[in-house]
Amino acid sequence: MESGPAIFAGAAFTLFGAALLLWTGVRVRQGEPVALGVAPRPAAALTTLFGAAFVLLGIWCFGRL
C-alpha cells in the first residue's frame, strides 16, 4: 500500500528534475537567459543544482520501495 505514493513521488521528482536539467542545458547552449533579471552563470548553476537534486530525490524515492 505504501509503494504507490513512493512510485508517484519518485516519478514526479525524477521527471521534473530531468526536465529542468534538459531545459537549462538547451537555454545555456543557445545563449539565452535561464532566468530573467538574474546573472546567467549563477542562474545556470542553481538550476543545474536543483535539477540534479530533484533527480537524486526521485532515485531515493524509488530506492525506498
Side-chain angles (χ1 to χ4, degrees), residues 20-48:
L20 186 60
L21 288 173
L22 179 67
W23 180 80
T24 302
V26 168
R27 298 292 285 187
V28 167
R29 179 174 286 178
Q30 292 178 350
E32 307 246 344
V34 176
L36 294 176
V38 182
R41 286 189 180 167
L46 280 176
T47 54
T48 301

Side-chain angles (χ1 to χ4, degrees), residues 39-56:
R41 286 189 180 167
L46 280 176
T47 54
T48 301
L49 177 74
F50 279 104
F54 277 112
V55 169
L56 290 175

Side-chain angles (χ1 to χ4, degrees), residues 2-19 51-65:
E2 292 180 5
S3 64
I7 292 171
F8 176 76
F13 284 133
T14 305
L15 287 174
F16 178 73
F54 277 112
V55 169
L56 290 175
L57 186 60
I59 292 170
W60 179 78
C61 286
F62 285 131
R64 301 289 294 174
L65 296 175

